[in-house]
Amino acid sequence: MNDPATLELLGRPPSGKAVVRMTPKGHPLVDLDTAEPTTSPSMTSRRGLLGALGAAGLASAAALAISRPVTAAVPVSPTDSDKALLEAAMRVELTARDLYEEGLRAGIVGEMAELVTVLAENHEAYADAIAGAAGFSADTRNDELFDELQVQFAISNVEEFARAGWELENTLAATHTELMDRYESADARTLTASIVVVEGRMGVVLADVAGFADNLGRVLDPPSQALDLSGSDV
Amino acid sequence: MAAEAAHTRNTERRTLGRRDALKVGGLSLSLAAVAAACGEDRGGDTAPGRVGNAPVITEPPSYAVDDAVLLRTASSLEHTAINAYRQMLALGALDDSVESLITEFVDNHQAVADELAGLTTDVGGEAWNCVNPWYMERTIAPLMAAVVSSDNQTIDMFNIAVALENLAASTHQAFSIRLDDAPARVATLSAAKLESRQSSALVINVRGVEGYVSPAINNEEVPRDAVGLPQQFALTHRFGSIGQVDIIAGPPDENGVRETFTIQIPAENSYIYNELDPVC
């Protein structure tokens, strides 16, 4: 029978708990002294090492940047110039929404009213998206444009209303297309492109309602004049 | 005697105690780690592991994508659409009004292609006046094969034509954002507008008022026609989409299921790079 291994306890205090004995580990197994003292004491410390690595990293990054060809990167977010144009575009979109709602108030009903509601909601969504991208509130329409066109939309005659809407959609699509030449940021361009193509589609639908869808030239390549958004009041 | 034996065992335990084992093991691991860290040529193959007797992977060349590449690719899609429409017209299964529209579309696509070719030259590239081989092989050829054997040719061709217009519009929409050249940006956006109008005009020509507004605009399900194909609409989304388009075409199989073809706007695998020579 083997004897159990003895467990050495130094003693037991009155509390009954064992006393922890700190056993010295002796000399470290790995000698951390450098073989030859360095001329720069800072290099041996952790901070010194991190500093040296940081400096090397910065130097590498600088060298990499110099070696790359310089390209004009397109800014992602709208620039100040973009914001001025986007605000004008947003106000035009809100104007379109309000003009369509004029038709609903004037007595357009039934399936046409459902269509007009979709068109108004689309333009409101565009205004919201533009305002969101540029960082301002979508709360101000272009009163000058609204006053100019209100009489054409405040009617219950579906064909006449649709013709006014067709002209408006083509004008808006042309305006946004022209702005595409002037936007500097990717966000402004992305948003504009996604709006233009749907405004083109809405124009086709309204051309059909207005009764001249058979005139393919007017449907696919309609006469349109872009709005001048360079003025501060537009 | 017994006490002596116990003393010997205790002495052995003291020689190879748990602490000693941990010390020795820790030291060995530390030395191994130091040796591994100091060793050279530790790179090895970073590729994913492969099982079996697979052929060696050929790395594709990496070509630059500049304005010329985008414009050449956009041109190639115009010619691809023209090619597909000519195949449809040759089948002779289109309604007269649709055939008239498609003929007009062919002329318009040719005009856009000519404009894009000029812009390609303006930005220093070589104009591409051919189809897109990738789309022809992987999309148009199988689609037209399905149409030829279909029991629903007229509707299949209508759906394909709408999809082609939507694809072209989406491509121009996406490229108009990426192009650095301002005239090219405006031209591609104008092309996107034209082809969006063509898609809507075609849908309205076939479906009338029913085809005005897709329920998808209000996040509702798109209805299907008598044979189970998704209906087409003039207004498909609130904002222009550049997402993939599914086309269901061809004859049904023994379970009544028709083949689905997915088309997407061009990407790295279908660009017409400057290094590619014309194929026509």
Side-chain angles (χ1 to χ4, degrees), chain A residues 115-138:
Chain A
L115 173 64
V116 172
T117 301
V118 169
L119 303 183
E121 288 173 349
N122 280 2
H123 288 289
E124 184 175 67
Y126 303 154
D128 286 342
I130 292 170
F136 43 73
S137 299

Side-chain angles (χ1 to χ4, degrees), chain A residues 29-98:
Chain A
L29 297 171
V30 179
D31 190 354
L32 295 175
D33 292 338
T34 52
E36 293 178 11
T38 57
T39 53
S40 173
S42 64
M43 290 292 287
T44 58
S45 67
R46 280 185 299 181
R47 288 188 179 181
L49 186 62
L50 287 173
L53 286 173
L58 286 173
S60 303
L64 193 62
I66 291 168
S67 66
R68 282 181 183 151
V70 177
T71 56
V74 175
V76 176
S77 299
T79 62
D80 289 344
S81 167
D82 285 353
K83 287 179 181 176
L85 295 171
L86 286 169
E87 183 173 11
M90 180 272 292
R91 292 173 62 191
V92 168
E93 290 296 338
L94 283 182
T95 307
R97 177 202 63 185
D98 290 353

Side-chain angles (χ1 to χ4, degrees), chain B:
Chain B
M1 192 69 180
E4 191 176 330
H7 174 74
T8 303
R9 283 197 299 274
N10 287 340
T11 305
E12 287 171 0
R13 283 194 187 96
R14 204 163 286 150
T15 305
L16 286 173
R18 279 184 299 179
R19 292 190 175 185
D20 293 331
L22 286 171
K23 281 180 186 173
V24 172
L27 177 62
S28 302
L29 284 173
S30 300
L31 289 173
V34 169
C38 294
E40 293 180 356
D41 193 22
R42 296 183 299 112
D45 190 358
T46 57
R50 308 187 75 200
V51 178
N53 188 21
V56 177
I57 295 174
T58 304
E59 287 296 325
S62 180
Y63 295 137
V65 178
D66 55 16
D67 278 5
V69 172
L70 297 178
L71 289 167
R72 281 157 60 92
T73 306
S75 301
S76 74
L77 277 197
E78 297 295 326
H79 288 288
T80 300
I82 292 169
N83 181 295
Y85 284 145
R86 286 187 174 146
Q87 291 186 54
M88 291 183 204
L89 291 169
L91 281 176
L94 295 168
D95 294 339
D96 288 345
S97 61
V98 173
E99 187 173 315
S100 173
L101 272 178
I102 297 292
T103 304
E104 177 81 17
F105 292 174
V106 168
D107 292 343
N108 290 342
H109 282 294
Q110 185 62 58
V112 172
D114 292 343
E115 185 181 9
L116 294 175
L119 288 164
T120 306
T121 308
D122 291 347
V123 299
E126 183 184 353
W128 183 270
N129 295 311
C130 307
V131 296
N132 185 304
W134 195 93
Y135 279 95
M136 286 305 298
E137 181 184 337
R138 301 190 181 223
T139 302
I140 302 302
L143 267 175
M144 292 311 299
V147 169
V148 168
S149 58
S150 178
D151 60 338
N152 197 26
Q153 277 191 349
T154 303
I155 297 299
D156 281 353
M157 285 194 283
F158 162 63
N159 286 331
I160 292 170
V162 172
L164 286 174
E165 293 303 324
N166 290 341
L167 170 69
S170 299
T171 301
H172 291 308
Q173 178 188 332
F175 284 6
S176 71
I177 300 160
R178 296 179 57 189
L179 285 161
D180 290 327
D181 185 62
R185 231 169 26 236
V186 173
T188 47
L189 186 55
S190 297
K193 195 166 47 180
L194 169 66
E195 286 150 5
S196 294
R197 285 176 174 143
Q198 290 184 168
S199 170
S200 297
L202 179 57
V203 171
I204 291 172
N205 179 281
V206 172
R207 301 199 59 225
V209 176
E210 296 295 317
Y212 281 174
V213 182
S214 170
I217 281 187
N218 293 317
N219 300 317
E220 294 171 12
E221 193 172 352
V222 175
R224 293 175 179 265
D225 66 10
V227 297
L229 305 184
Q231 297 276 26
Q232 302 287 354
F233 292 91
L235 298 179
T236 53
H237 302 89
R238 186 148 278 154
F239 291 85
S241 169
I242 56 172
Q244 70 179 30
V245 177
D246 289 338
I247 309 170
I248 302 174
D253 63 12
E254 61 271 22
N255 298 314
V257 178
R258 297 172 192 269
E259 192 170 358
T260 299
F261 302 84
T262 299
I263 56 174
Q264 298 172 319
I265 65 170
E268 279 72 7
N269 54 359
S270 50
Y271 284 154
I272 304 296
Y273 294 96
N274 291 317
E275 290 77 6
L276 291 178
D277 292 325
V279 292
C280 61

Side-chain angles (χ1 to χ4, degrees), chain A residues 165-180:
Chain A
W166 171 70
E167 290 176 352
L168 177 64
E169 296 298 343
N170 295 331
T171 299
L172 293 180
T175 303
H176 286 301
T177 304
E178 193 174 277
L179 290 176
M180 196 67 170

